Amino acid sequence: MGIIVQKFGGSSVATTEKLKKVCNHIIKEFEKKNDVAVIVSAQGKTTDRLITEEKEITVSPNKREHDVLVSTGEQITISKLAIMLSEMGYKAISLAGWQIPIITDGNFGNAKIKSIKAETILDLFDKGYIVIIAGFQGINENGEITTLGRGGSDTTAVAIAASLHADKCDIYTDVDGVFTTDPRIVEDVKKLDMISYDEMLELSSLGAKVLHNRCVEIGKKFDIPIVVKDTAKEESEGTIVENSKFLENMEISGIAKDDNISRVTVMGLENKIGKTYKVFNLLAEHKINVDTIVQSFGESINKNLSFTIKTADVPEAVELLESNLEYISAREIICFDNLSKVSIVGIGMTNRTGIAAKMFEALYEQNINMHLISTSEIKVTVLVNQDEADNAVKAIHNKFFK
Ligand code: ASP
């Protein structure tokens, strides 16, 4: 007997038929004499639909009211699920974020969870209830409804699991775990039995869209195992995200790809202290998110500075830098579009040599040029032409997993 938290994403709860499958997963854990808290998303594309309808009114809605609107989808799911479980003879109760409460900061649209009153849920467990909780929402200290950002129900689930000191948090979705890479690119992908929090964090931020990044951070902080499983499967081991218990890790755990990247180069930047700061401060003030940064060695009076940004941000970034050439003391701005980031991730590379060489060999064999390379302790990222990126992923996958 333990405490199990389960989370079901939008596609898993999309229809009444699918909700029945969800009930089976819940009942199975409950019948094992576990206390069960269930977090759900809005059904199917409900949140997208609400946002589209909102745009029919305005593209710049009042932030408070936006959260009131987009949080409604989850409320439909919790009530339907509780009704269904009751009809099946189980004691189930639904709770919106404010009823627990889940207290967040006041940042509408992207609020962070400050605290959760776990006793509300624990008291209901004591009374024999299965507790069904709306994901993605909370309230701020003024009692106003807030939301946690798109995909935020994962974060609600792991945060609830942490507050209840749950044994684990099962995240049910439409794929059966975390794979070595995107199955749409490589046919013979392998499902990972286990992946560490750090690897998962890297993979998510590098383009693998399995889990909300913030939920992995919470899992890591409170040591909550997160299991990613397929709702459609009756029985599945899925992939467990936890601290690595292996004595030796695989060379790499996964390969991620992120498209629509551009490389911007600031040419002839004066090689003086503070110039690089000026460039990035300008971009930060305009909320342009910068990724990989490479600065050439300035053996002369000038240096070149390259960085990557999302292609969608290019017009604003280039216009901003070009209109400030004098202020930043640079000669010109060059931009290279249609690039993809391809990354390998693995804690195994920390104590092995030759991992980067193996990746580069795979690219060399396919005659794929690398426009930029960056590394961290557990990842190597290269920038390649977008039309060669799938090939790059395939070649690297073959090298490491065949
Ligand atoms: N319903 C919200 C969204 O679509 C939250 C979630 O599903 O995690 O982003």
Side-chain angles (χ1 to χ4, degrees):
M1 166 147 185
I3 297 180
I4 306 290
V5 173
Q6 298 178 317
K7 183 258 169 178
F8 297 90
S11 56
S12 304
V13 296
T15 60
T16 306
E17 216 35 59
K18 288 191 167 182
L19 283 176
K20 285 184 192 148
K21 271 228 149 72
V22 167
C23 286
N24 293 341
H25 287 298
I26 298 171
I27 291 166
K28 197 188 275 165
E29 287 298 351
F30 187 72
E31 292 290 1
K32 287 187 210 154
K33 306 266 173 284
N34 289 311
D35 287 325
V36 185
V38 181
I39 287 76
V40 285
S41 294
Q43 290 187 281
K45 299 262 176 252
T46 305
T47 312
D48 287 339
R49 179 176 53 75
L50 292 169
I51 293 171
T52 308
E53 287 172 8
E54 183 184 52
K55 284 201 181 121
E56 289 167 11
I57 306 171
T58 174
V59 285
S60 50
N62 175 294
K63 290 188 169 153
R64 177 189 187 278
E65 302 312 330
H66 169 83
D67 277 9
V68 175
L69 175 65
V70 295
S71 63
T72 56
E74 274 69 13
Q75 200 164 317
I76 297 173
T77 324
I78 53 169
S79 53
K80 282 189 182 174
L81 201 52
I83 292 168
M84 201 176 254
L85 283 164
S86 305
E87 287 299 304
M88 295 166 99
Y90 291 88
K91 266 177 93 173
I93 188 166
S94 69
L95 293 176
W98 63 269
Q99 290 173 302
I100 298 178
I102 296 171
I103 303 288
T104 71
D105 62 19
N107 191 9
F108 295 114
N110 198 22
K112 300 272 175 324
I113 298 175
K114 285 181 154 181
S115 64
I116 294 174
K117 194 173 162 211
E119 300 85 72
T120 311
I121 304 165
L122 294 169
D123 286 350
L124 290 164
F125 283 162
D126 284 345
K127 293 181 183 137
Y129 281 102
I130 296 168
V131 183
I132 317 284
I133 298 164
F136 179 52
Q137 56 173 266
I139 48 166
N140 66 16
E141 263 141 17
N142 300 325
E144 294 166 307
I145 293 173
T146 54
T147 61
L148 309 181
R150 296 304 307 270
S153 296
D154 287 353
T155 295
T156 307
V158 182
I160 294 273
S163 75
L164 296 173
H165 304 289
D167 300 31
K168 60 172 180 159
C169 180
D170 285 336
I171 305 257
Y172 284 90
T173 175
D174 48 9
V175 288
D176 193 25
V178 182
F179 292 85
T180 45
T181 192
D182 188 339
R184 284 167 304 186
I185 303 175
V186 177
E187 264 173 29
D188 53 349
V189 288
K190 298 189 171 37
K191 185 176 76 66
L192 301 168
D193 295 332
M194 181 264 150
I195 185 166
S196 70
Y197 296 116
D198 288 329
E199 289 168 313
M200 195 66 237
L201 281 170
E202 285 283 14
L203 282 175
S204 315
S205 57
L206 291 168
K209 292 163 197 75
V210 188
L211 291 172
H212 205 225
N213 240 354
R214 278 160 57 192
C215 92
V216 186
E217 274 162 19
I218 298 171
K220 180 179 173 187
K221 190 161 168 196
F222 296 96
D223 205 5
I224 300 289
I226 304 169
V227 188
V228 181
K229 312 180 174 193
D230 186 353
T231 318
K233 289 202 171 154
E234 223 129 274
E235 209 57 69
S236 142
E237 299 276 296
T239 299
I240 180 160
V241 188
E242 62 180 353
N243 281 318
S244 175
K245 295 193 171 68
F246 296 141
L247 287 178
E248 298 238 59
N249 293 287
M250 297 193 293
E251 287 180 315
I252 65 166
S253 289
I255 305 164
K257 181 189 78 143
D258 202 5
D259 290 331
N260 301 319
I261 305 288
S262 293
R263 188 191 67 193
V264 177
T265 303
V266 181
M267 301 285 290
L269 190 67
E270 209 182 341
N271 196 8
K272 273 198 183 147
I273 290 174
K275 297 297 174 192
T276 305
Y277 157 72
K278 274 188 171 177
V279 171
F280 290 108
N281 193 43
L282 260 181
L283 294 163
E285 276 173 356
H286 288 77
K287 304 231 176 323
I288 295 170
N289 200 4
V290 174
D291 195 31
T292 314
I293 301 171
V294 176
Q295 184 177 288
S296 67
F297 283 112
E299 71 283 345
S300 64
I301 48 165
N302 292 324
K303 60 190 176 186
N304 296 335
L305 184 64
S306 292
F307 56 87
T308 58
I309 54 175
K310 281 273 172 201
T311 302
D313 289 333
V314 165
E316 194 186 350
V318 170
E319 134 95 64
L320 180 69
L321 294 171
E322 281 182 341
S323 57
N324 281 285
L325 275 183
E326 210 169 304
Y327 168 69
I328 57 177
S329 320
R331 196 174 62 242
E332 83 178 290
I333 309 298
I334 293 178
C335 187
F336 210 93
D337 288 333
N338 299 322
L339 298 172
S340 296
K341 238 170 24 176
V342 175
S343 312
I344 56 172
V345 172
I347 44 180
M349 71 175 75
T350 45
N351 50 15
R352 278 196 183 85
T353 54
I355 303 291
K358 202 164 165 177
M359 178 189 198
F360 301 158
E361 185 184 27
L363 297 173
Y364 160 68
E365 283 167 359
Q366 295 299 313
N367 210 15
I368 294 174
N369 188 27
M370 297 180 277
H371 295 279
L372 199 144
I373 302 168
S374 81
T375 61
S376 80
E377 259 205 331
I378 65 164
K379 87 164 187 218
V380 181
T381 297
V382 298
L383 219 52
V384 299
N385 288 338
Q386 189 156 308
D387 57 6
E388 293 178 318
D390 283 4
N391 254 347
V393 172
K394 279 183 200 147
I396 297 166
H397 196 272
N398 262 343
K399 240 327 146 224
F400 283 96
F401 294 107
K402 266 266 155 83

